[in-house]
Structure formats: C-alpha cells, structure tokens
Amino acid sequence: MVHLQPVLRPHRQALWLDEVDAVEPNARTVDPLVGTLTTDICIVGGGYTGLWTALRIKALEPSRSVTLLEADICGSGASGRNGGMVGTWWGKLSTLERVCGTDDGHFMAEEVYNAIGEIESFVAEHGIQAHFRRSGRLQVATSGFQMDTWEPGLRKAEALGYGKHFTRLTREEIQRRSGSPIYCGGYYEDGPATVQPALLARGMRKVAIEKGVQIFESTPVLRIQEGDPVVLRTPQGTVIASKVVLATNAWTAAIPELRRHMIVVSSDIVATAPIPDRLSEAGWIGGESIADCRIMVHYSHVTHDNRISFGRGSGSLAYMGRLTTAFDGNPAKAAEVEQGLRKFYPNLADAPITHRWGGPIDRSRSGTLIFGHLTGSPN
C-alpha cells in the first residue's frame, strides 16, 4: 500500500496563477471524482509531467482511456509556481555521460533542446496564450569566485559539436545586455525560452480534455493499493486502473522507495510591478532570462507585461520528504530574495514588489531523471 502525503495548498498565490484567474475566471476547476471509475491508465498529478504524459498517450493510442487526478488545480504545484524559464541540458553533458552513458547522455541533451521547440509548436498549434518567447539565456557571474566556472561545460559542449549554441561575453557585454552593474562575466545561450508557466499548464489541461482525457481536480489520492489492477482511493471515490503513472514532483518523496533518490528543496520568487521605462533605461530589453552560477541559483526574467520575476533556490530542505509551511512562500526567504534583486539592480531600489511566493521542487541525487517502476509493481 502506497500512502501519499497531503498536498500543501499555497497561501501566497503566484503571479502566474493570479493571471490565470483573470484569463479564465469561470474555468478554474473541474469537478472532483465522486464514485468508482475504471480506466486503462490513471495519472496522479496535474502538472507538466502528468499533462504531457496524458497528451502523449492519447497521441500514440487514442483509444486508451486516460484519467488524471489532481489534488488542487492543474498547474497549482511547481508547474504554476516556477520561474517561467525553459532551459537546456547542455551544461549537464558530463553528468549525463556518467549516469546514462555517452550515446544516451548526448541523446537526452539533444532531446531536451528539441523539447523547447516542441513547446513552442504546441502553444502555437493550439492557440495557447502562454507568452512563450525564445530569446536565450545569460549565464552570469556575480563574483570573481564564479568567473569561468562554466568553462569545463562549454568546452565539453564545443568538443561534441554543440558550441554553436554559446557565445562568451565580456563584463561590459553582460552588463549592457542584463542591465546590471554587478554581473562581471558570463555567456549567452541561444536555446532557452521564457513562458508564463501557469497559462501553459492550463492550456495543456484544456487540450487534454479536448483529446478525451478525464481530469478530476480537487481530488487528492490518499492511498494506492498495488496489484493488477491498481486501486486508488480518493476522499469521495475510487479509481481502478490497469496502469498508474506517478507524476507528483516533490510530493513523490512521500514514497520511501523514491525518497532516497530525491532531495526536496524550496524555491522563492518575487515580482515587481510593470516597469517598462526602467527596464529600457537599464538596457534589459532583449528578452533573455538570467541565471547566476551559485548552487542555490538566482534566476530572473522580464515578463510579458514588463515586470521582473526574480527568484532563488532558497535551501529549505524537506526532512524525510515532508512538506511543511516552510515551503509556502516563507516571508523571511522572500525578503532575502528581494534583497538579492535590489543588490543586482540597485537602480531599482524603489521598484514596488507586488507578488511574493514560493514552493517545493525536487532535485534528483543523480541530476537526471527518475524513471522506472516501483519494486514488485510493474504496472
């Protein structure tokens, strides 16, 4: 029997989810599951992993019945609270080679790069207004200690023929393009994009429903009874499924077998009011996202309405995988993130902050995917 932990419902709403409310005020939720339902495949979790999985199954085998259960609303977890930056894995080539082997490691890096184009095509095909913009990323150093830490990764990528994606930049070039006098070096990567993450998740939800996926929101899975079929219990219902996909991101750490492969950490973000004139004055007008070279990385981008979204991996760890209120936009951590924004952009010392939020994310110990079957449960 697999028991899942209660979902941490956010009290501090992300900017992205506020914008969802404005776009679809009458389509926020679908009904919870009530009663018993039999399905070919049940997916637990309504974020990107669960929704992409549902869409891909329907594309490959349209006749399969697919049911998705989400404890809150689709996109309410990390998929609707993240930094809105779509990245590549070129910098992980050494890790991918070590964990997956040379050929598979290179294949994965290439597929992650190609996936960004797939997202771009998906939102265009289905008319999803997710503000997708492929303007690349600036990887920056904020101190001498961080300078050139990217060189081993870039040289590896160049040796494998991927150097065309990178351009090394001087201090002056970085400062001009980022609008910050603090950054002291770095490089530009052409592949990454930015997106309004909650609008992407809700758009995927809409398409999934159109494709015949049964989605039930406000339906937390309390326990899963292994077997053939698998039985999933929710507060008001039961799902009987031939196969089950667990797509619950940080909440997967509730399962002891998977917990040992994961580290659950917090990430906190602040967003300014729209400041188009200030951004033009600073020179950050190219649409690039920005990340520094810390382990607890600072990350930022300019939104579609000219706000700065600025976040940091803040370092709260989930003891035994338990998610507490420390992961719900901790005010002290939000204050630290705001201080980082003011430090890197001293010219914005008086820019008002309109949103502060956070949430849990999972990081695998290997730095790559966790994918497989629970022991003794091939379905």
Side-chain angles (χ1 to χ4, degrees):
M1 185 78 70
V2 175
H3 294 270
L4 301 184
Q5 63 181 316
V7 167
L8 181 72
R9 295 181 182 274
H11 295 101
R12 296 172 181 85
Q13 178 116 310
L15 166 65
W16 322 126
L17 290 166
D18 274 353
E19 292 183 343
V20 164
D21 286 343
V23 171
E24 53 169 43
N26 299 317
R28 183 72 190 268
T29 61
V30 294
D31 292 337
L33 173 67
V34 177
T36 299
L37 175 70
T38 299
T39 186
D40 290 329
I41 300 158
C42 183
I43 298 170
V44 183
Y48 296 147
T49 302
L51 289 165
W52 284 125
T53 300
L55 287 165
R56 186 56 56 91
I57 291 171
K58 277 296 187 181
L60 293 172
E61 295 194 38
S63 63
R64 293 285 184 180
S65 57
V66 180
T67 301
L68 185 148
L69 306 179
E70 165 55 42
D72 194 351
I73 66 165
C74 291
S76 61
S79 298
R81 287 193 259 173
N82 64 69
M85 297 162 60
V86 189
T88 69
W89 272 9
W90 300 128
K92 289 179 173 283
L93 279 169
S94 295
T95 297
L96 292 170
E97 286 182 344
R98 184 178 70 253
V99 175
C100 308
T102 300
D103 291 343
D104 284 347
H106 298 175
F107 169 80
M108 290 174 69
E110 290 171 355
E111 285 302 295
V112 169
Y113 180 84
N114 293 337
I116 301 175
E118 288 188 41
I119 297 171
E120 185 173 20
S121 298
F122 180 84
V123 298
E125 177 185 353
H126 297 286
I128 298 170
Q129 299 300 317
H131 310 298
F132 183 95
R133 184 178 185 183
R134 196 163 190 177
S135 299
R137 176 178 298 175
L138 298 174
Q139 193 75 33
V140 303
T142 58
S143 68
F145 181 78
Q146 296 179 15
M147 280 295 295
D148 297 327
T149 54
W150 50 80
E151 279 302 319
L154 289 192
R155 286 196 291 268
K156 164 72 78 171
E158 288 168 344
L160 294 170
Y162 304 124
K164 63 183 179 181
H165 298 298
F166 306 98
T167 303
R168 292 172 176 82
L169 300 175
T170 65
R171 173 194 290 262
E172 291 74 20
E173 289 170 328
I174 281 285
Q175 292 181 354
R176 176 178 55 80
R177 293 179 66 163
S178 68
S180 170
I182 304 301
Y183 301 145
C184 51
Y187 66 90
Y188 170 75
E189 182 184 354
D190 68 2
T194 57
V195 70
Q196 208 283 26
L199 287 177
L200 174 59
R202 302 301 285 177
M204 292 169 62
R205 165 188 176 270
K206 179 177 181 291
V207 175
I209 292 172
E210 292 171 351
K211 298 293 184 182
V213 178
Q214 288 186 293
I215 294 179
F216 297 94
E217 295 180 322
S218 300
T219 304
V221 175
L222 305 177
R223 58 189 182 275
I224 303 173
Q225 182 178 332
E226 302 100 318
D228 189 8
V230 183
V231 179
L232 302 94
R233 306 291 185 185
T234 73
Q236 301 180 76
T238 299
V239 175
I240 301 170
S242 299
K243 296 183 183 296
V244 171
V245 177
L246 299 177
T248 48
N249 198 268
W251 282 268
T252 309
I255 302 172
E257 181 177 339
L258 296 178
R259 185 185 306 142
R260 66 177 68 100
H261 301 291
M262 301 167 57
I263 302 169
V264 178
V265 300
S266 66
S267 194
D268 294 88
I269 306 176
V270 300
T272 69
I275 49 172
D277 294 341
R278 307 287 293 277
L279 290 167
S280 295
E281 292 170 7
W284 189 7
I285 56 175
E288 308 96 331
S289 58
I290 300 176
D292 67 10
C293 298
R294 294 172 14 127
I295 293 177
M296 296 299 176
V297 62
H298 290 101
Y299 51 88
S300 56
H301 80 280
V302 175
T303 68
H304 67 99
D305 57 350
N306 292 297
R307 304 170 185 263
I308 292 180
S309 165
F310 186 92
R312 189 188 76 175
S314 297
S316 289
L317 299 175
Y319 176 69
M320 297 295 289
R322 299 189 187 102
L323 301 178
T324 68
T325 54
F327 292 87
D328 185 21
N330 184 291
K333 287 188 170 57
E336 293 174 4
V337 174
E338 183 177 343
Q339 289 174 5
L341 169 65
R342 310 297 189 192
K343 173 185 175 182
F344 296 148
Y345 291 91
N347 56 317
L348 301 179
D350 59 344
I353 301 296
T354 61
H355 290 75
R356 299 171 175 85
W357 74 94
I361 56 173
D362 66 323
R363 177 184 177 88
S364 71
R365 293 181 183 275
S366 68
T368 59
L369 301 174
I370 299 172
F371 187 82
H373 302 283
L374 292 182
T375 302
S377 300
N379 60 345

